[in-house]
Amino acid sequence: MIRAKLASRLATVFCRRVLPVILLCLCGAAADSSRRQVALVLSGGGARGLAQIGVLKALDEAGIKPDLIVATSMGAIVGSLYACGYCPDSIAAFARSINWDGIFTNAAKRNQLFVSQKDEAVNYLLELRFDRNLAFVVPNSLSYGQAFYDYLAPKLASAQYKASGSFDNLRIPLRIVATDIVLGRRVVFSKGNLAAVIRASCSIPLAFSPVNFEGAILMDGGMSANIPVEPVIEERPDDYIIAVDVTSSLWGKEDLGNPVRLVDQLVSIGIKKQKTFEKELAHTVIAPALEGRRNTDFSNIDSLIASGYAAGRLSIAKIEKDLSSAPPRRTPAVAGGEAPRPPFRWKVENDALVPGLDSAVRSASGTGEGLAAFQSAVYAFMRAKGYPFACISSMVREDSATVVAIVSGRIRNISIEGNIVTSARIIASAIPLRPGALPTEELLSKTISSLYATDLFKNVNVEIDSSQTLRIMVEEKEFWRMRIGLRYDEFHLGEGYIQPAYTNFLGTGVSALLHLQYGLRREKYAFELLDNHLFSSSMAQKLQLQAYLSREIIRKETDYRDTTDTTGTQYRRTIDEQGLRKVGLLFLAGTQIGKFAMLDYGIKLERFRRTILEQSVLNDPFKDFEKGVPYFMVRGMIDNLDKFPFPEKGQKHYISIGGTHNKIGGTESFLKIEGGSSQYYTFAGKHTFFPQAQFMWATDSLPDVERVYIGGAIPEEKYKDIGVFNYIPFFGLQPRALPGDIAMILRGNYRLLAQRNMYLTFTVDCGYAWTWNKQWAWDTKSFSTLKNICNDFFDKAAIGVGVSFAYNSMFGPIRFSWGRLLRNRFAPELNINTENQLYLSVGHDF
């Protein structure tokens, strides 16, 4: 009786619970076995490769999900993001956010530099590097390719961590193709550091340097397989292959003057037949209509994506028909496994997350995607709560519930690799992450950019491995360097400099350099030690020691009507030439906060003398200096301009307070305050407005080396501290036409980006400079001096207008300007006229 009842009960349970599950599994297996798996092949093509985002969107909307992605070059970037779980719209937004024009640069982003570094990266024409034996290192490319790590490493790090470094464990299995240029063969990657592998696959000859990887030298995957269909057939011959061809045709004759394009042409000729062969192996080839679009043209990304989307939509019907009639796979696929059953007991570091996790997995339970949907729901919730590296470590079914343990992804250790010379302390101080911290995409991005901003490394890459160790991988630069600069302007004429330096003294990041500058009217010679001692990624102590010799000639030519000539047609030209030399020692110390603010203080010990002869400062450099000052100063600066020399947004403000007294060993006594302010606003990407103001105030008559000189269109120089004359540009005046001890300049500018790297600027200047008047002595009982200055400014301020054309060339900015005074109320004895003034400047400022 008991046995009969038990058998009846078991039969009931089997029919109601077990049998439906078995039938469901059999149906699922049958459905899966009837679906042929799909392999998606993404090609190279430079900018044209972004059209593949549109193809992914079209396939995605049609429900065609690839089971494998094989990609090369630009396809590797698009394909890896898709394989890691980013949707096509997110990939498109990412592509739009990239500054493609700056992808070849080897300079750190300006907003990641400390204030004392911000002008260093833009004031030279050429940089040469030397190894430890002082042998010249021949550059093998335009760029080290750091942009790949900047953009991709933080974005891919989470997916790579959860996949434990295996590309098979990504949301979609992935293969990346590169070329071993030593063995001349194709290399297909299925594991490793994803950003580094993509960097290797995109290493276009001459454009990006090769990647050294486990003894191999890797370059662009397009050189061996620009449409990599063969790797799919070798690994998964039964897959249905969809290949996307966005490769470009050969360059025309008129385009081959560029050496990068010339090499690209040679490579393209070699692989032309290979591309044809690969496409014949695919079941479907999607080729977007990209006629007229070059692989270097990133100007209209949306149109590229739209072209890819249109081509993808046209291919959907054929693909669906082929897949519906395809024979079943030999081995049924496993569709992500069975989802764990509720109720759940969560093991997570913060119990407040539990209700949200229950709600997230309940909403995902109806999708029918099993374990994959469960994991996606958990990871999406944890990411939204600030745990992007959270990972399910175990799931155990107990009697009452499924126990799900989630590791938060906190960093346990930090590993530094590749620093042969550089101190590990410098690297650790430069990054914002510490053991125990929760990594995020933003913090990983800041880690990379902060390290690269030290200017000690060619490449900086990061990843978090399966042991939750933050791996920082660096490739050091050659620390012996030589910078060379050349420029010309109508006032100083031709000049240039060379600057030998060692930039990582004792592995501490201290730079020791010589600045040797010679010109027909200006010379500067200096030895400098500079250290930005890092306390953290956003704070540093600045220490600077500089010894220098300088000379400059101010040459002013004036035409007078010769009254002795009765015809009144003869003119007499007088030349007023003033020269000044100085020798000095400068020591500054200060604190830099947040990459945009700096407060420093120090002392200048200077001796100076007048000179008339145009002879080098090296002739009797320390002889007959009749005057000198020990000048104490405190300075503050805020600088967050986005770029230089043509900023589009940000601000720059500075103020300096300094002085000396004859009772402390100087020949002068004065207190001086000077400052400046500028703000940049850009609209519609091409219209930039930037108001500016500069002033100087002194309590007594100043020596020539401390006075201000107004006039000309000469931009701000880099080595201002060791320069002889302090100047402020002013349109309508000859360069440095108006000296003064007190000055006020107001300036309004509008700049138009006419074409790429071509600018047209309209400027209105208003200002005046005063020679110190003893009647203006400061009085504690009144502000009469300030009142006099304000009244004088409104009565006497000159107004000048100017128009400038500038081209930002590879040799530095080329500027041609016109200026004229609209209002001239200067004293007659200054001989300042309102005639047209023309200004020319070629090259970087230094």
Side-chain angles (χ1 to χ4, degrees), residues 142 206 251-265 294 810:
L142 296 176
L206 287 186
W251 291 99
K253 181 179 179 181
E254 68 280 2
D255 299 316
L256 295 179
N258 184 316
V260 175
R261 291 176 183 171
L262 181 61
V263 172
D264 181 57
Q265 184 87 325
R294 295 180 173 180
M810 62 181 296

Side-chain angles (χ1 to χ4, degrees), residues 14-30:
F14 178 81
C15 292
R16 289 184 177 179
R17 298 189 178 182
V18 179
L19 184 59
V21 172
I22 293 175
L23 291 174
L24 182 62
C25 291
L26 289 173
C27 291

Side-chain angles (χ1 to χ4, degrees), residues 44-46 48 226 245-251 264 268 275 293-295:
R48 295 162 59 100
N226 214 11
D245 178 15
V246 291
T247 59
S248 57
S249 56
L250 296 177
W251 291 99
D264 181 57
S268 297
K275 288 196 302 182
R293 292 302 298 264
R294 295 180 173 180
N295 56 14

Side-chain angles (χ1 to χ4, degrees), residues 106 126-129 136-144 206 209:
N106 288 321
L126 178 67
E127 181 178 86
L128 309 176
R129 292 277 174 170
F136 174 55
V137 177
V138 180
N140 55 18
S141 63
L142 296 176
S143 172
Y144 300 132
L206 287 186
S209 58

